[in-house]
Coordinates of all heavy atoms in Angstrom, one line a residue:
L1 N 99.6 74.4 122.0 CA 100.4 75.6 122.2 C 101.9 75.3 122.3 O 102.8 76.0 121.7 CB 100.0 76.4 123.4 CG 98.6 77.0 123.3 CD1 98.2 77.6 124.7 CD2 98.5 78.0 122.2
F2 N 102.3 74.2 123.0 CA 103.7 73.8 123.1 C 104.3 73.4 121.7 O 105.4 73.7 121.4 CB 103.8 72.6 124.0 CG 105.2 72.2 124.2 CD1 106.1 72.9 125.0 CD2 105.7 71.0 123.7 CE1 107.4 72.5 125.1 CE2 107.0 70.5 123.9 CZ 107.8 71.3 124.6
S3 N 103.5 72.8 120.8 CA 104.0 72.4 119.5 C 104.3 73.6 118.7 O 105.3 73.6 118.0 CB 103.0 71.6 118.8 OG 101.8 72.3 118.4
F4 N 103.6 74.7 118.8 CA 104.0 76.0 118.1 C 105.2 76.6 118.7 O 106.1 77.1 117.9 CB 102.8 77.0 118.2 CG 101.8 76.7 117.2 CD1 100.5 76.4 117.6 CD2 102.0 76.9 115.9 CE1 99.5 76.1 116.7 CE2 101.0 76.6 114.9 CZ 99.7 76.3 115.3
S5 N 105.4 76.6 120.0 CA 106.6 77.2 120.5 C 107.9 76.4 120.1 O 108.9 76.9 119.9 CB 106.5 77.3 122.0 OG 106.5 76.0 122.6
T6 N 107.8 75.1 120.0 CA 108.9 74.2 119.5 C 109.3 74.6 118.1 O 110.4 74.7 117.8 CB 108.5 72.8 119.7 OG1 108.1 72.5 121.0 CG2 109.7 71.9 119.3
V7 N 108.3 74.7 117.2 CA 108.6 75.1 115.8 C 109.3 76.4 115.7 O 110.3 76.5 115.0 CB 107.2 75.1 115.0 CG1 107.5 75.7 113.6 CG2 106.7 73.7 114.9
E8 N 108.8 77.4 116.5 CA 109.5 78.7 116.4 C 110.9 78.6 116.9 O 111.8 79.2 116.3 CB 108.7 79.7 117.3 CG 107.4 80.1 116.7 CD 106.6 81.0 117.6 OE1 107.2 82.0 118.0 OE2 105.4 80.8 117.8
K9 N 111.2 77.8 118.0 CA 112.5 77.7 118.5 C 113.4 77.0 117.4 O 114.5 77.5 117.2 CB 112.5 76.8 119.8 CG 113.8 76.7 120.4 CD 113.7 75.9 121.7 CE 115.0 75.8 122.4 NZ 114.9 75.0 123.6
D10 N 112.9 76.0 116.7 CA 113.7 75.3 115.7 C 114.0 76.3 114.6 O 115.2 76.3 114.1 CB 113.0 74.1 115.1 CG 112.9 73.0 116.1 OD1 113.7 73.0 117.1 OD2 112.1 72.1 115.9
D11 N 113.1 77.1 114.2 CA 113.3 78.1 113.1 C 114.4 79.1 113.5 O 115.2 79.4 112.7 CB 112.0 78.9 112.8 CG 111.0 78.0 112.1 OD1 111.4 76.9 111.6 OD2 109.8 78.4 112.0
I12 N 114.4 79.6 114.7 CA 115.3 80.5 115.2 C 116.7 79.9 115.2 O 117.7 80.5 114.7 CB 115.0 81.1 116.6 CG1 113.7 81.9 116.5 CG2 116.1 81.9 117.2 CD1 113.1 82.3 117.8
S13 N 116.9 78.7 115.6 CA 118.2 78.1 115.7 C 118.7 77.8 114.3 O 119.9 78.0 114.0 CB 118.2 76.8 116.5 OG 117.4 75.8 115.8
D14 N 117.9 77.5 113.3 CA 118.3 77.3 111.9 C 118.9 78.6 111.4 O 119.9 78.6 110.7 CB 117.2 76.8 111.0 CG 116.9 75.3 111.3 OD1 117.7 74.7 111.9 OD2 115.8 74.9 110.8
N15 N 118.2 79.7 111.6 CA 118.7 81.0 111.1 C 120.0 81.4 111.7 O 120.8 82.0 111.1 CB 117.6 82.1 111.3 CG 116.4 81.9 110.4 OD1 116.5 81.3 109.4 ND2 115.3 82.4 110.8
S16 N 120.2 81.1 113.0 CA 121.4 81.5 113.7 C 122.6 80.8 113.2 O 123.7 81.2 113.3 CB 121.3 81.4 115.2 OG 121.1 80.0 115.5
Q17 N 122.4 79.6 112.6 CA 123.5 78.8 112.1 C 124.0 79.3 110.8 O 125.1 79.0 110.3 CB 123.1 77.3 111.9 CG 122.9 76.6 113.2 CD 122.3 75.2 113.0 OE1 122.0 74.8 111.9 NE2 122.2 74.5 114.1
S18 N 123.2 80.1 110.1 CA 123.5 80.6 108.8 C 124.1 82.0 108.8 O 123.5 82.9 109.4 CB 122.2 80.5 107.9 OG 122.4 81.2 106.8
E19 N 125.3 82.2 108.3 CA 125.8 83.5 108.2 C 125.4 84.2 106.9 O 125.3 83.5 105.8 CB 127.4 83.4 108.2 CG 127.9 83.0 109.5 CD 129.5 83.0 109.4 OE1 130.0 83.8 108.7 OE2 130.0 82.2 110.1
K20 N 125.1 85.4 107.0 CA 124.6 86.2 105.8 C 125.8 86.4 104.8 O 126.9 86.7 105.3 CB 124.0 87.5 106.2 CG 123.4 88.2 105.0 CD 122.7 89.5 105.5 CE 122.1 90.1 104.3 NZ 121.4 91.3 104.6
V21 N 125.6 86.2 103.6 CA 126.6 86.6 102.6 C 126.3 87.9 102.0 O 125.3 88.1 101.3 CB 126.6 85.5 101.4 CG1 127.6 86.0 100.3 CG2 127.0 84.2 101.9
D22 N 127.1 88.9 102.4 CA 126.8 90.3 101.9 C 127.6 90.4 100.6 O 128.8 90.2 100.6 CB 127.3 91.3 102.9 CG 126.4 91.4 104.1 OD1 125.2 91.3 103.9 OD2 126.9 91.6 105.2
I23 N 126.9 90.8 99.6 CA 127.6 91.1 98.3 C 128.1 92.6 98.4 O 127.3 93.5 98.6 CB 126.6 91.0 97.1 CG1 126.1 89.5 97.1 CG2 127.3 91.3 95.8 CD1 125.0 89.3 96.1
P24 N 129.4 92.7 98.3 CA 130.0 94.1 98.5 C 129.5 95.1 97.4 O 129.1 94.7 96.4 CB 131.5 93.9 98.4 CG 131.7 92.4 98.3 CD 130.4 91.7 98.1
E25 N 129.6 96.4 97.8 CA 129.1 97.4 96.9 C 129.8 97.4 95.6 O 129.2 97.8 94.6 CB 129.4 98.8 97.6 CG 128.4 99.0 98.7 CD 128.6 100.4 99.4 OE1 129.1 101.3 98.7 OE2 128.3 100.5 100.5
H26 N 131.1 97.0 95.5 CA 131.8 97.0 94.2 C 131.4 95.8 93.3 O 131.6 95.7 92.1 CB 133.3 97.1 94.4 CG 134.0 95.9 95.0 ND1 133.8 95.6 96.3 CD2 134.8 95.0 94.4 CE1 134.5 94.5 96.5 NE2 135.1 94.1 95.4
I27 N 130.8 94.7 93.9 CA 130.4 93.5 93.2 C 129.0 93.5 92.8 O 128.6 93.1 91.8 CB 130.7 92.2 94.1 CG1 132.2 92.2 94.4 CG2 130.2 91.0 93.4 CD1 133.1 92.0 93.2
L28 N 128.1 94.1 93.7 CA 126.7 94.2 93.4 C 126.3 94.7 92.1 O 125.5 94.1 91.4 CB 126.0 94.9 94.6 CG 124.5 94.8 94.6 CD1 124.0 93.4 94.7 CD2 124.0 95.7 95.8
P29 N 126.9 95.8 91.6 CA 126.5 96.3 90.2 C 126.9 95.3 89.1 O 126.1 95.2 88.1 CB 127.3 97.6 90.1 CG 127.7 98.0 91.4 CD 127.8 96.7 92.3
I30 N 127.9 94.5 89.3 CA 128.3 93.5 88.3 C 127.2 92.5 88.2 O 126.7 92.1 87.1 CB 129.6 92.9 88.6 CG1 130.7 93.9 88.6 CG2 129.9 91.7 87.6 CD1 132.0 93.4 89.2
F31 N 126.8 92.0 89.4 CA 125.7 91.0 89.4 C 124.4 91.5 88.9 O 123.6 90.8 88.2 CB 125.5 90.4 90.8 CG 126.6 89.4 91.2 CD1 126.9 89.2 92.6 CD2 127.3 88.7 90.3 CE1 127.9 88.4 93.0 CE2 128.3 87.8 90.7 CZ 128.6 87.6 92.0
K32 N 124.1 92.8 89.3 CA 122.9 93.4 88.8 C 122.8 93.5 87.3 O 121.8 93.2 86.7 CB 122.7 94.8 89.4 CG 122.2 94.8 90.8 CD 122.0 96.2 91.3 CE 121.5 96.2 92.8 NZ 121.2 97.5 93.3
K33 N 124.0 93.8 86.7 CA 124.1 94.0 85.3 C 124.0 92.6 84.6 O 123.3 92.5 83.6 CB 125.4 94.7 84.9 CG 125.7 94.8 83.4 CD 127.0 95.3 83.1 CE 128.0 94.2 83.1 NZ 129.3 94.6 82.5
S34 N 124.7 91.6 85.1 CA 124.9 90.4 84.3 C 124.1 89.2 84.8 O 124.0 88.2 84.1 CB 126.4 90.0 84.4 OG 127.2 91.0 83.8
C35 N 123.6 89.3 86.0 CA 123.0 88.1 86.6 C 121.5 88.2 87.1 O 120.7 87.3 87.0 CB 123.8 87.6 87.8 SG 125.6 87.4 87.5
F36 N 121.2 89.4 87.6 CA 119.9 89.6 88.2 C 118.7 89.5 87.3 O 117.6 89.2 87.8 CB 119.9 90.9 89.0 CG 120.5 90.9 90.3 CD1 121.5 90.0 90.6 CD2 120.2 91.8 91.3 CE1 122.2 89.9 91.9 CE2 120.9 91.8 92.5 CZ 121.8 90.9 92.8
D37 N 118.8 89.7 86.0 CA 117.7 89.5 85.1 C 117.1 88.1 85.2 O 115.9 87.9 85.1 CB 118.1 89.8 83.7 CG 118.2 91.3 83.4 OD1 117.9 92.1 84.3 OD2 118.6 91.6 82.3
C38 N 117.9 87.2 85.5 CA 117.5 85.8 85.6 C 117.6 85.2 87.0 O 116.9 84.2 87.3 CB 118.3 84.9 84.7 SG 118.2 85.4 82.9

């Protein structure tokens, strides 16, 4: 049981170190048009 709680704790800390990159509303349509197919 302890091994599972350690894994979850590590996963949470990894996610907190990463900031989300929000693609702004004026950029998203460009990427959808030109990039998202691939």
Side-chain angles (χ1 to χ4, degrees):
L1 293 174
F2 181 71
S3 69
F4 278 113
S5 66
T6 303
V7 169
E8 289 178 48
K9 185 177 180 182
D10 289 344
D11 288 346
I12 292 169
S13 66
D14 286 346
N15 289 337
S16 66
Q17 292 175 352
S18 168
E19 290 181 31
K20 185 174 181 180
V21 174
D22 287 321
I23 300 173
E25 288 182 26
H26 70 289
I27 301 297
L28 191 57
I30 300 168
F31 286 154
K32 282 183 179 181
K33 175 185 89 166
S34 299
C35 307
F36 279 22
D37 283 353
C38 300

